Amino acid sequence: MTTVIVDYESGNLHSAEKAFQRMAAETGAGAVVVTADPEVVATAERVVLPGDGAFPACRRALFARAGLFEALEEAALRRARPFLGICIGMQMLASRGMEYAETPGFDWIPGTVERIAPADAALKVPHMGWNDLVVDRPHPVLEGIATGDHAYFVHSYQMRLADPAHRLAHADYGGPVTAVVGRDTILGTQFHPEKSQATGLRLIANFLRWRP
């Protein structure tokens, strides 16, 4: 059983790899592999898509690697393998992003990625640091994670969903900020689970155990 972390030179792969390897060892979830090989991605049991930086740059980097997006589609959509997008990896699941220029997303979870606009002018953007989660809907990957648990965020844009049922958790930052999204076998976290200590490690372990 293999969990693939997709390497397209746009994510914090070292810390993500270490966190997933640690929890895979604890849960007996098998190997964790970092790769850009489309064949390995397409046949993985689970796929993790990290992403740091800006939406357009991440999308360009991903699509510059021949066959990689098609491999993600094969794994997540056609084979219905558990898929987790992290930070920009989550944002790219949306229909489009509005950072710098309108940029198409995967359109796997319909919505638009827009700049955070806190109601309180004293709150700065980017939304950076620790914040409490508010759990909106139960999900196996959120098992043992409760409203008030902390997660680590670094972002200036957030996902505004076409269907509110796809929002599993949010944070309050001068208004609700989408924190976890999901539909079918596809999930995304705006926060970085690999940097979110106990909350993040629990989410990773739950993802590795998840058998949708």
Side-chain angles (χ1 to χ4, degrees):
M1 191 175 296
T2 302
T3 298
V4 161
I5 300 176
V6 181
D7 179 8
Y8 60 112
E9 299 184 2
S10 293
N12 185 3
L13 295 179
H14 179 72
S15 59
E17 180 183 14
K18 293 302 180 188
F20 276 85
Q21 286 178 339
R22 173 181 170 183
M23 300 320 294
E26 290 190 14
T27 61
V32 175
V33 176
V34 176
T35 185
D37 184 332
E39 185 174 346
V40 177
V41 173
T43 57
E45 294 301 313
R46 289 180 185 77
V47 177
V48 179
L49 181 68
D52 286 335
F55 187 118
C58 284
R59 188 188 186 280
R60 281 195 301 272
L62 178 65
F63 279 79
R65 285 155 177 77
L68 189 52
F69 177 68
E70 291 76 11
L72 295 176
E73 286 188 308
E74 175 66 25
L77 301 185
R78 286 185 279 278
R79 299 180 68 234
R81 298 306 189 193
F83 180 98
L84 177 64
I86 296 173
C87 197
I88 307 299
M90 176 193 109
Q91 293 183 4
M92 289 192 294
L93 302 176
S95 307
R96 59 181 182 156
M98 304 304 292
E99 188 171 3
Y100 300 123
E102 183 172 337
T103 305
F106 300 174
D107 201 25
W108 292 359
I109 299 182
T112 303
V113 178
E114 302 174 5
R115 186 170 175 83
I116 300 169
D120 182 351
L123 294 173
K124 303 300 183 185
V125 177
H127 172 215
M128 181 181 297
W130 294 92
N131 203 343
D132 293 351
L133 294 177
V134 179
V135 176
D136 295 304
R137 287 172 179 78
H139 189 281
V141 175
L142 296 179
E143 184 178 350
I145 296 172
T147 292
D149 287 348
H150 304 303
Y152 188 80
F153 294 83
V154 184
H155 63 122
S156 298
Y157 286 74
Q158 71 148 321
M159 203 169 182
R160 298 196 180 275
L161 296 157
D163 184 348
H166 292 153
R167 191 179 80 181
L168 305 182
H170 71 278
D172 182 14
Y173 195 70
V177 172
T178 301
V180 184
V181 299
R183 61 172 285 263
D184 304 327
T185 62
I186 299 166
L187 290 168
T189 64
Q190 182 61 67
F191 62 89
H192 287 267
E194 74 279 9
K195 297 179 181 178
S196 295
Q197 298 182 1
T199 299
L201 293 176
R202 179 175 290 277
L203 185 141
I204 290 169
N206 288 343
F207 176 73
L208 293 171
R209 292 189 186 104
W210 187 32
R211 302 285 189 274

